[in-house]
Structures are given as C-alpha cells and as structure tokens.
Amino acid sequence: MSSETPPYARLVAAVQAQVASGELSAGDRLPPVRTWAEREGLAAGTVARAVKELEARGVVETRGRAGTFVRGEGTEQAARAAAVAYARTQHRLGLEEAEAVRLLQQAWRALRG
C-alpha cells in the first residue's frame, strides 16, 4: 500500500488481511482504540475511523464497553453450537427451559459486571 494511502485505510487493510490469513479469527477481540492508537503511533480518531470502516464492511462489531470483535460466518455457527450444548446439558440435568434461561441470563449479567 502506498504512503499516499490514509493511515486509517492502511489499518483497515491490515485487519482484513489478518482475518483473511486466519491470524485473526471470528470472536477475537481487537485492542481498545486508545491502546491500538498508542501502539501504532496514530491519533485515536484515526483508529476509531478504521474501526467504523471495518464495522461498515462487516469485518468487526463493537459491543459497547465489551470491545470490538472480529465477525465471521463461524461466529454464529459457534454460538449456535454452544447454545445447543448448553440446552442439552440443562435438559440432561433435568432443568426446565425457564430455569435454564434464568441461569443463562444470570451468567450473562455477571459477565457485564
């Protein structure tokens, strides 16, 4: 990429290349904007612009304070497989659906702090 390419575009290209190569996988968390900016020697606004562009392209998704994560077709499949495994375990333990959902919601709230 030429030096005339804006820094945010170079970041976008770098992340897309890392996703394509498998260096970054679906579900991987990107560094916080400020941390990433300091590491790259760029302004936080430049990195934020790159993140917005990556979101627009469907490469990443930002989950509020939880951070920015790599998206991918495998993400939904992995989430579905985890949900099926959870449901099977709860069923095997004899729990009703409502109780299993309550426990999941409780765990989810605990993760958010």
Side-chain angles (χ1 to χ4, degrees):
M1 203 160 279
S2 76
S3 61
E4 294 177 13
T5 305
Y8 84 91
R10 288 196 299 265
L11 286 178
V12 169
V15 170
Q16 287 184 304
Q18 289 174 324
V19 170
S21 73
E23 187 177 337
L24 285 174
S25 302
D28 285 350
R29 185 175 188 262
L30 296 181
V33 169
R34 287 185 182 151
T35 302
W36 194 6
E38 288 173 10
R39 189 174 67 205
E40 298 293 327
L42 297 170
T46 300
V47 175
R49 184 173 179 189
V51 170
K52 280 189 166 201
E53 180 64 26
L54 288 162
E55 284 179 307
R57 294 181 184 195
V59 177
V60 301
E61 68 176 325
T62 299
R63 302 176 191 161
R65 292 182 180 199
T68 301
F69 297 83
V70 175
R71 293 185 65 187
E73 295 174 13
T75 302
E76 185 170 340
Q77 289 176 332
R80 286 182 189 274
V84 168
Y86 177 76
R88 284 186 179 141
T89 300
Q90 299 309 320
H91 185 264
R92 200 172 17 248
L93 292 172
L95 273 70
E96 295 293 326
E97 179 182 351
E99 180 65 8
V101 169
R102 185 189 70 74
L103 291 170
L104 180 59
Q105 289 171 330
Q106 184 180 24
W108 193 269
R109 283 190 296 273
L111 286 174
R112 291 189 307 208

